[in-house]
Amino acid sequence: MHQMIDGMYMDEEDYQLLRRRLAFTGRLVPLYSGEEAFMRLAKREEYGDIFRLEQLAYDGKSPWHKEMFYKDLNRNPRTIYIIMEYNGEKIAFLGARTTDGYDLHISNICVLPQYRCLGCASALIVQLVQFAEILAKKEITLEVRQSNSKAIRLYQRMGFIKTGIKPEYYQPEKEDAIEMTFELQRAL
């Protein structure tokens, strides 16, 4: 039986369908430090952990509310959250949403400050590209703050190109967002 919640249908069958299509039980990924981290799909009940991760990464000021992560992981069958762990500690995640169209949209990428510049975000994006191919998507899209030059450079190194601007997208700062797109025909 399907239950409608916030305009989305979600039950265990919906939840498992996308995960079965991805057939991803997790894998070890090398970090630039020479060590390895473990990457896997997030579980529904980990929404609080993901929220805490984002709080830690943003000095206690998470851009998303805990309820938003709850809704994504528990009510939206179109979301994909990938978690990265090191020595049992969650250190990074990537959230994305599938669409009826040909794109997969990155909603957020978060890496704890002490694990930045070790290849975590790159590894998460590479995994998402593999998922996009499985789902027969043609592109991956995202928005990034215009002032976040480090992230913009990372995305450009990964093959994303600037495709537009959303004026005053980030509130309350009224900061513009740069729209970026990765076409799946491009190699990483």
Side-chain angles (χ1 to χ4, degrees):
M1 171 167 21
H2 291 280
Q3 179 181 4
M4 187 161 186
I5 304 171
D6 295 338
M8 299 295 294
Y9 289 99
M10 182 72 151
D11 65 9
E12 189 60 27
E13 183 179 327
D14 288 334
Y15 179 76
Q16 294 300 331
L17 181 64
L18 181 60
R19 277 124 193 96
R20 280 195 303 274
R21 283 187 68 194
L22 298 178
F24 183 69
T25 57
R27 67 182 176 99
L28 288 173
V29 293
L31 301 177
Y32 297 156
S33 63
E35 299 173 286
E36 291 181 316
F38 187 71
M39 208 170 20
R40 63 175 174 77
L41 288 173
K43 299 172 187 161
R44 286 177 164 183
E45 63 271 12
E46 291 180 303
Y47 69 91
D49 295 335
I50 290 171
F51 175 71
R52 280 188 291 285
L53 236 173
E54 194 168 76
Q55 282 185 308
L56 290 170
Y58 288 97
D59 296 324
K61 301 171 189 149
S62 174
W64 282 36
H65 299 286
K66 189 175 184 179
E67 180 68 17
M68 295 167 79
F69 291 113
Y70 174 81
K71 285 180 180 179
D72 255 7
L73 283 163
N74 287 278
R75 296 182 180 174
N76 187 347
R78 296 174 179 234
T79 59
I80 299 169
Y81 275 81
I82 309 166
I83 287 184
M84 186 175 284
E85 298 172 318
Y86 175 72
N87 286 338
E89 176 188 6
K90 292 174 181 73
I91 63 169
F93 75 89
L94 180 150
R97 294 184 177 126
T98 64
T99 67
D100 287 332
Y102 52 85
D103 75 311
L104 187 57
H105 183 77
I106 296 175
S107 54
N108 41 31
I109 298 178
C110 178
V111 180
L112 290 180
Q114 63 270 35
Y115 294 98
R116 291 180 184 153
C117 300
L118 293 176
C120 297
S122 298
L124 289 164
I125 292 169
V126 167
Q127 185 61 58
L128 189 67
V129 168
Q130 292 173 6
F131 290 163
E133 290 170 346
I134 291 167
L135 298 170
K137 299 297 181 180
K138 303 242 186 272
E139 63 186 29
I140 298 172
T141 60
L142 60 82
E143 293 97 14
V144 60
R145 287 180 181 272
Q146 189 171 20
S147 63
N148 194 342
S149 57
K150 283 185 179 183
I152 292 169
R153 282 194 306 274
L154 166 71
Y155 300 140
Q156 288 174 325
R157 277 195 314 272
M158 299 294 297
F160 284 81
I161 57 170
K162 293 180 182 179
T163 53
I165 294 179
K166 290 184 175 178
E168 300 181 1
Y169 182 77
Y170 293 101
Q171 298 295 328
E173 306 88 357
K174 296 185 178 179
E175 183 175 355
D176 293 351
I178 305 292
E179 295 176 296
M180 302 187 79
T181 301
F182 176 88
E183 295 175 18
L184 264 76
Q185 294 79 3
R186 295 181 178 191
L188 288 178

